Amino acid sequence: MSTLLSLQGCTVRFGGLTAVSGLDLKIGPHDLAGLIGPNGAGKTTVFNIITGVYRPTCGSITLGDKAIAGMKPNRIAGLGIARTFQNIRLFASLSVFDNVRAAFNLRLKHGFSHALFRFPAFYREEADVDRQVMELLDIFDLGRHRDVLCKNLSYGDQRRLEIVRALATRPKLLLLDEPAAGMNPTEKEALTRLVRFIKEKFEIAVLLVEHDMKVVMGICERIFVLDHGVKIAEGNPGEITKNSKVIEAYLGEQPPEAGTADA
Amino acid sequence: MSRYLRSKKVWLLLAVLGSALLSRFSGAINEYYLQVIIFVGINITLAVSLNLINGYTGQFSLGHAGFMAVGAYTASIVTLGVPLPLVTYPEPSAALFARLLGALVLAFDHAVNAVLWVANSGVAAVHGLPLVLQFVVALVAGGILAALTGLLVGVPSLRLRGDYLAIVTLGFGEIIRVVIQNTDAIGGARGYSGIPNYTTFFWAYAVAAATIYIVVSLIDSTYGRGFLTVRDDEVAAEAMGVDTTKYKVVAFVLGAFFAGIGGGLYAHTTTYINPAGFDFQRSIEIVIIVILGGMGSTPGVAFAAVLLTVLAEYLRFVAGYTFLPTWLRQLAANRTIIYALVLIALMLLRPQGLFGGLRAFGASATRKVPKAA
Ligand SMILES: Nc1ncnc2c1ncn2[C@@H]1O[C@H](COP(=O)(O)OP(=O)(O)O)[C@@H](O)[C@H]1O
Ligand SMILES: [Mg+2]
């Protein structure tokens, strides 16, 4: 099995606090992987070093055969990693359409001078971007909201729009940070289907951070468990639910059966 | 027909032709009114360009007067054709250390003089051209030098955010002013007078139209949406592949370029410039126009430029009305207090600006293209 993303011995320290410690992690080109662990375990920090928001204190990160640790986030996005944020970060003053359009910036052939002089090539490319944005929006049933300011969307639609915007960068790997947070059971089920659909349709790898075990078990084929910045387990859902370290550190207080019962 | 009416290039052309036409009749207007009308045009250029930095890109710059000064001085030097005096070389010294230092200083002075020589020859060459061309070269040279200054200021300071950037740009603006004030070679505190009165109605409004065209065209494109993402959420913008640093530098340099051109126009209508005319208060005035018009709304900011320029002139009259109580006249004479009051009222009543959210030119460029079937 080939590897798309690989972290080797990654450690992140914030002053005295070690948020991530010696983390090894491998993701294949079509994996549906999950990263779970209690609050403050360092999951978001892992996303932040993969996407270049922080540089790991030590360790290496490679995407394909490129070392990306410490690269600027926009370059990493260009290499094929896109993400969503734990607290939704849409472009508040832009419409639904423009939020997605902005993500096409990366693939634009014509920049500054074309916007200024507006030759036919400019209009052709804009029309092309327009069409692709609408295609994406329609796939995710957001087309009818194209001119709505994104802050006026429902919470679930905002979460979905953030995913669409990430997909617009044409990633090889999509990182989703707690996409089901704040959703009701029906919405969570829809999200589970959505993520599986995205993997099939766009043929990409997904790494998911999520607290809801039902969502994680429903989506992920491979799960990494973090506790206090240390990877304590790794395996398929069946192995993880039986792992005694995981039960003690994380699942113990909230067994997956209970999650299923109240859903 | 309607296809042409929706093309920005056609509007630019119409605006330039309109300015040329109206300019023919400007002789009929009272000279003072004409001057105010020209100031309005220049302030539109200044405010619309600052709006690219402060409004669309969300970077709070307080240095616009500094870039204006660079443009005003450069343009005046070109049209006046005053050769810049060369630097005198230092006396050679005996001590070893002083000799080393002296050699460095000498090398630096040689470099400076080489630049000055090139500049002087350039100015001399320009003086062979017809007056109109001289003026165009002067304005463009002012714009380019201001843009270079913008690059110099922007690259190190644009990593700063919010208040910090405001303070750094304010500092740089003041440094530019103080340097001019203390450089006798370009007039020092006395400034330049006798600058030819080249800025006609046409030039003021053709440049304003071009500035509006450029800012609106940039913003209204997929490329231009990048500026807005920098303003809205820098972290998310970078995660989506937007090179935020590049956008900030482009906004800053382009803003400085137009501030420089605006400065050149200003110098060639007042015919007199001195460093005090480009102080911190001048920067604040332009910022206030942008806030009043609504950050990120070009029509709003252009309209606010008209409003505030006319208001500022009207206040001069109010200050002179003897039938008014003294306190009121003093208030009118002190524009900054009025501006402060306007700002406070605005923040309380309409924080988005008078015209914030107005998007007359804002609709998506892609709408003009017939949808691909
Ligand atoms: N920028 C930062 N500065 C200091 N500490 C941080 C920073 N980001 C995260 N942390 C700390 O790192 C630890 C892991 O945080 P995080 O990755 O957000 O956890 P999770 O996403 O698993 O809930 C927490 O203790 C958090 O307080
Ligand atoms: Mg988190």
Side-chain angles (χ1 to χ4, degrees):
Chain A
M1 189 196 80
S2 63
T3 308
L4 175 64
L5 177 83
S6 128
L7 275 68
Q8 282 134 16
C10 282
T11 297
V12 183
R13 285 195 202 95
F14 296 111
L17 180 110
T18 306
V20 176
S21 163
L23 179 68
D24 295 318
L25 194 149
K26 273 190 173 39
I27 293 173
H30 301 291
D31 281 3
L32 281 174
L35 181 60
I36 62 171
N39 263 326
K43 304 177 298 289
T44 299
T45 307
V46 171
F47 274 20
N48 283 338
I49 55 173
I50 295 175
T51 54
V53 176
Y54 302 133
R55 171 196 280 273
T57 316
C58 57
S60 72
I61 306 174
T62 47
L63 179 73
D65 48 12
K66 272 211 175 65
I68 58 168
M71 251 186 206
K72 284 182 61 182
N74 56 296
R75 287 208 45 212
I76 294 178
L79 292 174
I81 300 182
R83 72 176 290 182
T84 63
F85 294 88
Q86 188 171 345
N87 316 302
I88 303 176
R89 300 186 83 140
L90 290 167
F91 303 123
S93 73
L94 300 187
S95 67
V96 168
F97 178 83
D98 274 345
N99 261 277
V100 179
R101 173 148 84 124
F104 275 82
N105 196 290
L106 202 55
R107 310 244 168 265
L108 229 45
K109 281 201 291 290
H110 306 300
F112 183 86
S113 56
H114 272 74
L116 272 197
F117 298 116
R118 312 202 145 224
F119 294 126
F122 165 79
Y123 288 105
R124 253 181 274 128
E125 183 168 36
E126 291 287 306
D128 199 38
V129 169
D130 190 343
R131 188 179 46 71
Q132 293 182 55
V133 171
M134 282 319 288
E135 239 171 50
L136 267 178
L137 286 177
D138 285 334
I139 291 176
F140 295 92
D141 197 26
L142 285 165
R144 62 210 151 92
H145 297 309
R146 72 167 275 172
D147 293 322
V148 177
L149 275 189
C150 65
K151 61 182 176 201
N152 296 334
L153 285 181
S154 73
Y155 181 79
D157 281 348
Q158 289 193 15
R159 282 262 177 226
R160 214 140 32 94
L161 177 60
E162 215 193 4
I163 296 175
V164 177
R165 185 182 65 176
L167 286 173
T169 65
R170 302 261 178 266
K172 299 188 190 109
L173 170 66
L174 177 64
L175 309 178
L176 301 173
D177 199 347
E178 305 203 13
M183 286 187 173
N184 63 34
T186 333
E187 288 173 323
K188 282 180 182 172
E189 243 163 65
L191 180 86
T192 306
R193 265 177 279 129
L194 187 79
V195 176
R196 292 196 150 273
F197 166 77
I198 287 171
K199 188 232 161 171
E200 294 304 321
K201 165 107 187 154
F202 297 91
E203 298 182 324
I204 58 175
V206 178
L207 177 61
L208 174 84
V209 165
E210 187 46 64
H211 274 302
D212 189 299
M213 287 316 288
K214 197 176 170 219
V215 173
V216 176
M217 297 301 169
I219 293 175
C220 302
E221 295 147 358
R222 185 155 197 83
I223 295 173
F224 306 93
V225 188
L226 272 190
D227 185 33
H228 293 293
V230 181
K231 185 174 78 181
I232 57 170
E234 171 179 349
N236 62 37
E239 291 163 2
I240 294 298
T241 37
K242 284 190 221 91
N243 186 308
S244 60
K245 273 203 237 164
V246 180
I247 294 172
E248 190 187 328
Y250 183 52
L251 297 179
E253 76 240 28
Q254 177 219 7
E257 289 78 24
T260 319
D262 68 49
Chain B
M1 180 64 200
S2 76
R3 199 182 133 223
Y4 291 108
L5 277 184
R6 275 183 289 162
S7 156
K8 292 183 196 345
K9 274 189 272 195
V10 171
W11 278 107
L12 175 65
L13 198 70
L14 286 179
V16 171
L17 288 179
S19 312
L21 199 68
L22 283 175
S23 206
R24 306 241 100 195
F25 302 106
S26 59
I29 314 175
N30 164 325
E31 215 167 287
Y32 169 69
Y33 288 151
L34 183 62
Q35 174 82 84
V36 175
I37 291 171
I38 287 174
F39 279 154
V40 167
I42 296 172
N43 280 343
I44 291 176
T45 298
L46 293 169
V48 168
S49 62
L50 184 68
N51 189 34
L52 177 63
I53 306 172
N54 289 24
Y56 290 116
T57 319
Q59 308 300 305
F60 205 93
S61 166
L62 273 176
H64 232 45
F67 302 129
M68 224 184 131
V70 173
Y73 270 85
T74 309
S76 305
I77 287 167
V78 173
T79 52
L80 284 173
V82 279
L84 298 167
L86 298 190
V87 179
T88 45
Y89 299 115
E91 294 284 325
S93 165
L96 177 66
F97 175 70
R99 263 181 22 218
L100 276 174
L101 196 66
L104 276 178
V105 172
L106 194 65
F108 181 73
D109 285 351
H110 273 295
V112 169
N113 279 343
V115 172
L116 288 176
W117 183 82
V118 170
N120 285 339
S121 338
V123 169
V126 168
H127 271 258
L129 299 171
L131 292 187
V132 185
L133 280 183
Q134 278 182 35
F135 187 42
V136 172
V137 171
L139 288 181
V140 172
I144 290 175
L145 226 64
L148 287 177
T149 318
L151 192 68
L152 212 70
V153 177
V155 168
S157 56
L158 280 170
R159 66 187 75 228
L160 301 170
R161 281 168 203 216
D163 313 345
Y164 297 105
L165 180 68
I167 289 169
V168 168
T169 50
L170 185 153
F172 266 108
E174 286 297 280
I175 288 172
I176 291 172
R177 185 177 65 80
V178 171
V179 165
I180 294 175
Q181 192 160 327
N182 290 293
T183 308
D184 266 334
I186 51 172
R190 281 170 287 115
Y192 279 135
S193 53
I195 302 165
N197 184 7
Y198 289 157
T199 305
T200 57
F201 179 93
F202 167 75
W203 286 109
Y205 282 87
V207 169
T211 312
I212 291 177
Y213 168 83
I214 287 175
V215 169
V216 169
S217 303
L218 270 190
I219 294 303
D220 182 15
S221 67
T222 302
Y223 167 82
R225 284 301 181 248
F227 293 101
L228 308 182
T229 65
V230 173
R231 171 187 71 186
D232 279 3
D233 191 327
E234 238 178 271
V235 174
E238 289 191 353
M240 295 307 120
V242 175
D243 190 342
T244 55
T245 312
K246 206 175 83 192
Y247 274 97
K248 286 194 244 178
V249 170
V250 167
F252 211 70
V253 168
L254 204 60
F257 177 77
F258 283 110
I261 301 237
L265 290 171
Y266 174 80
H268 289 83
T269 185
T270 56
T271 70
Y272 167 70
I273 52 173
N274 69 356
F278 304 102
D279 61 355
F280 165 59
Q281 199 174 322
R282 190 85 186 84
S283 292
I284 294 279
E285 277 177 26
I286 311 169
V287 169
I288 288 180
I289 294 177
V290 171
I291 295 177
L292 192 71
M295 302 250 229
S297 159
T298 299
V301 165
F303 192 79
V306 180
L307 210 67
L308 223 70
T309 316
V310 172
L311 174 76
E313 285 305 320
Y314 183 65
L315 286 175
R316 282 180 206 273
F317 288 105
V318 175
Y321 289 153
T322 45
F323 58 84
L324 289 173
T326 327
W327 68 268
L328 202 62
R329 291 171 57 193
Q330 276 173 348
L331 186 67
N334 211 329
R335 280 191 278 171
T336 23
I337 297 182
I338 306 256
Y339 290 157
L341 291 176
V342 168
L343 265 192
I344 292 171
L346 195 72
M347 287 302 121
L348 292 175
L349 301 174
R350 260 189 87 80
Q352 73 273 43
L354 285 184
F355 312 95
L358 192 71
R359 295 234 199 125
F361 306 104
S364 164
T366 52
R367 303 284 171 74
K368 286 170 204 79
V369 189
K371 271 254 170 67

